[in-house]
Amino acid sequence: MAVSKANLRLVSSKPEPADSGDRAYVEELYTAHSAALCRYIARMLPGGRQDVEVILQETYVKLLRQESLQHLRENPRAYIYTVATNLVRDSLRRQLRRRSEQHHSYDDSEHESRTPSPPGAAEWQQNLGRLKQSLLELKPVVRRVFLLSRFEQMTYPEIAETLSISTRSVERHMSRAMEHLQRELSDIL
């Protein structure tokens, strides 16, 4: 079985291994183990083929940067797989850190339902019934002034013109309506 050498060249700020024999030995081991190592890394990484290639390249570079190849010569396969495993772990830790930095905490106030709860809806209906009852207790002209002001958003001069009464009368009717409602609905206002 013919195995082609990897066409990888290292450009580093660290010194190269002492002799070219060490470099040739690392390249030979890399070539011999790269296919199996690639499958091994792929099983550990959740990413695609590109992530596997990056870890494979980093493994090769790390082996080339070793000052002493004694551990590599004693048990080459175990040493190469250990280096690759450590690089995969480092990569996964970096990914987790990036995810945690992008994490936004869950805030209940941002996700509250706009729909009232059944007890809240029942209380709302009860209070609305009390408001209607209190409004019915008002004289018709006072009730009409209040409704035009609060529900139709009309100004006092507009109400006076609509009802053909003075602005001062509108003010008096509104004052009576407000006093009555505050007295009747003080526990919910």
Side-chain angles (χ1 to χ4, degrees):
M1 180 175 143
V3 178
S4 64
K5 281 191 170 183
N7 292 327
L8 302 174
R9 295 293 171 241
L10 176 66
V11 176
S12 170
S13 61
K14 289 189 172 186
E16 296 281 328
D19 63 52
S20 61
D22 288 345
R23 183 182 184 94
Y25 177 68
V26 169
E27 287 180 6
E28 182 182 315
L29 286 175
Y30 176 80
T31 303
H33 293 282
S34 64
L37 189 59
C38 188
R39 288 188 299 274
Y40 172 74
I41 293 168
R43 285 193 307 266
M44 292 193 305
L45 282 176
R49 178 82 179 154
Q50 182 179 0
D51 293 340
V52 173
E53 293 294 330
V54 168
I55 297 296
L56 200 57
Q57 176 72 19
E58 288 178 9
T59 302
Y60 175 66
V61 169
K62 192 155 184 107
L63 293 174
L64 283 175
R65 288 184 177 171
Q66 297 294 313
E67 290 182 19
S68 169
L69 297 180
Q70 180 183 351
H71 294 294
L72 189 59
R73 292 186 193 281
E74 289 173 1
N75 192 346
R77 186 174 189 280
Y79 192 76
I80 292 171
Y81 278 72
T82 301
V83 168
T85 300
N86 290 337
L87 290 170
V88 167
R89 286 179 183 156
D90 290 345
S91 173
L92 292 173
R93 275 189 217 112
R94 281 191 303 272
Q95 287 175 8
L96 283 174
R97 193 172 337 119
R98 268 182 265 152
R99 284 187 196 137
S100 69
E101 290 170 357
Q102 295 173 352
H103 174 75
H104 298 285
S105 64
Y106 181 83
D107 185 9
D108 285 336
S109 65
E110 292 178 12
H111 303 283
E112 288 178 353
S113 173
R114 302 283 185 232
T115 309
S117 64
E123 183 181 352
W124 172 258
Q125 287 298 324
Q126 184 181 14
N127 292 337
L128 188 58
R130 286 181 59 196
L131 175 63
K132 286 179 183 179
Q133 182 60 40
S134 295
L135 288 173
L136 289 174
E137 294 170 1
L138 295 171
K139 291 182 181 179
V141 69
V142 174
R143 181 175 50 245
R144 181 97 168 118
V145 166
F146 178 81
L147 293 174
L148 290 173
S149 173
R150 297 299 185 213
F151 292 97
E152 300 295 327
Q153 284 84 33
M154 292 177 73
T155 64
Y156 287 4
E158 291 172 338
I159 295 170
E161 186 179 326
T162 302
L163 298 179
S164 301
I165 58 176
S166 69
T167 305
R168 178 73 182 123
S169 294
V170 172
E171 291 171 358
R172 254 192 333 270
H173 293 318
M174 274 302 292
S175 177
R176 286 187 189 128
M178 295 303 290
E179 287 172 4
H180 175 75
L181 293 174
Q182 285 177 344
R183 192 173 46 251
E184 294 295 318
L185 306 172
S186 63
D187 59 322
I188 61 173
L189 294 179

